Amino acid sequence: MTRQRQLIYSIITAAPEHRTAEEIYELAHRDMPSLARGTVYRNLGILEQEGQIRKLEMPGAPARYDRERLPHPHLICQRCGRIQDAAMPPTLLEELAREQGVTLTGYDLKLYHICPACGGT
Amino acid sequence: MTRQRQLIYSIITAAPEHRTAEEIYELAHRDMPSLARGTVYRNLGILEQEGQIRKLEMPGAPARYDRERLPHPHLICQRCGRIQDAAMPPTLLEELAREQGVTLTGYDLKLYHICPACGGT
DNA sequence: TTTTGTGCAAACTATTTGCAAACCG
DNA sequence: CGGTTTGCAAATAGTTTGCACAAAA
């Protein structure tokens, strides 16, 4: 673990926000002005492969990174784009697998709503 | 509806495959050699907006297009990448919404497995 | 010293866009 | 005609990669 990777990792784990590579680069760049964008991408890839962070692909927008390591759904506001980690009851997952008649190896669930701040329920 | 849009739409609805814009372009281009890639993208966007087709964003790969208009999960083989439309029991969706304590406006669910052809169950 | 990672810049991929010409009602 | 859509080419955005040098083991 290099200082660069350390820094990138700490930015992701410090707060529950789901940041983009660019945001992470900007924050990291303040502390280490020599740090390059490419290094951020490279290390995000490595951290993800090692299972230390999770990549969240966002439709039509840059990917975001999640410090939570266990698979879980994401609740996304359609107005403001705010992302929250959500819960997936194991029984629900089992029911889904049974419904399809397969053994699941993973899933990616995005739930969309309008958050209270945006006038939703 | 122009001839171009007609052609693009018919390619998507003709088969249950979930094709990429490039694949659709190649198929359409055979029938109408003057047709341009940009036109394919433009029309896919229009058809999607009109709710006639559905765009499926695939992580780290080009988007695919689905002729099914009702929201539903997708079952994806992690080895060969084959995509199948799957079922979402309404009760399951309700349970998910209740679990998060929100009113859902939509969802995007990708289920991963290893398909029988690839040695999975 | 041998490997591994970095900084930089150029390359790449999927997609979008500006614009003049073509088409359609 | 007059608005819409096309074909083409250039632009864009996010991300990846090649390479020489620096850091670490």
Side-chain angles (χ1 to χ4, degrees):
Chain A
M1 251 240 185
T2 59
R3 282 179 309 122
Q4 286 84 339
R5 192 172 311 161
Q6 195 89 256
L7 176 55
I8 291 163
Y9 179 69
S10 76
I11 286 172
I12 297 170
T13 49
E17 265 111 51
H18 300 81
R19 301 191 206 269
T20 63
E22 183 61 26
E23 287 165 359
I24 293 165
Y25 165 72
E26 275 162 26
L27 287 168
H29 193 256
R30 278 183 214 161
D31 282 24
M32 197 188 281
S34 71
L35 184 124
R37 235 180 224 90
T39 301
V40 172
Y41 279 104
R42 254 185 306 234
N43 281 302
L44 287 173
I46 292 167
L47 288 168
E48 194 208 350
Q49 276 202 331
E50 289 177 347
Q52 306 208 244
I53 61 172
R54 220 155 249 288
K55 185 178 189 175
L56 248 179
E57 309 264 359
M58 305 299 293
R64 292 179 173 275
Y65 293 85
D66 192 338
R67 64 174 176 176
E68 298 298 332
R69 275 142 304 189
L70 299 174
H72 57 272
H74 287 92
L75 188 60
I76 304 168
C77 174
Q78 287 194 309
R79 289 263 169 79
C80 67
R82 194 165 71 100
I83 304 169
Q84 293 171 261
D85 292 319
M88 174 66 106
T91 54
L92 256 180
L93 199 54
E94 284 159 22
E95 220 172 316
L96 261 173
R98 186 155 13 89
E99 179 69 29
Q100 323 301 330
V102 301
T103 305
L104 294 182
T105 56
Y107 71 91
D108 171 21
L109 172 57
K110 298 192 179 69
L111 298 169
Y112 293 96
H113 79 318
I114 310 288
C115 77
C118 288
T121 50
Chain B
M1 248 240 186
T2 59
R3 283 179 307 122
Q4 287 83 339
R5 192 172 311 161
Q6 195 88 255
L7 177 54
I8 290 163
Y9 180 69
S10 75
I11 286 172
I12 296 170
T13 49
E17 265 112 51
H18 300 80
R19 301 190 207 267
T20 63
E22 182 63 25
E23 287 164 359
I24 293 164
Y25 165 72
E26 276 162 27
L27 286 168
H29 192 256
R30 278 183 214 162
D31 283 24
M32 196 187 283
S34 72
L35 183 124
R37 234 180 224 89
T39 301
V40 172
Y41 279 104
R42 254 185 307 235
N43 281 303
L44 287 173
I46 292 167
L47 289 168
E48 193 208 350
Q49 276 202 332
E50 289 176 349
Q52 306 206 246
I53 61 171
R54 219 155 249 288
K55 185 178 188 175
L56 246 179
E57 309 264 358
M58 304 299 292
R64 292 179 173 275
Y65 293 85
D66 193 336
R67 62 174 179 177
E68 298 299 334
R69 275 141 305 190
L70 300 174
H72 56 273
H74 287 93
L75 188 60
I76 303 168
C77 173
Q78 287 196 310
R79 289 264 168 77
C80 67
R82 194 165 72 101
I83 304 170
Q84 292 171 261
D85 291 319
M88 174 66 106
T91 53
L92 255 180
L93 199 52
E94 283 158 24
E95 220 172 315
L96 261 172
R98 184 156 13 90
E99 177 71 29
Q100 324 301 330
V102 301
T103 306
L104 294 182
T105 56
Y107 71 89
D108 170 21
L109 173 56
K110 297 191 180 71
L111 298 168
Y112 294 96
H113 78 317
I114 310 288
C115 77
C118 289
T121 50

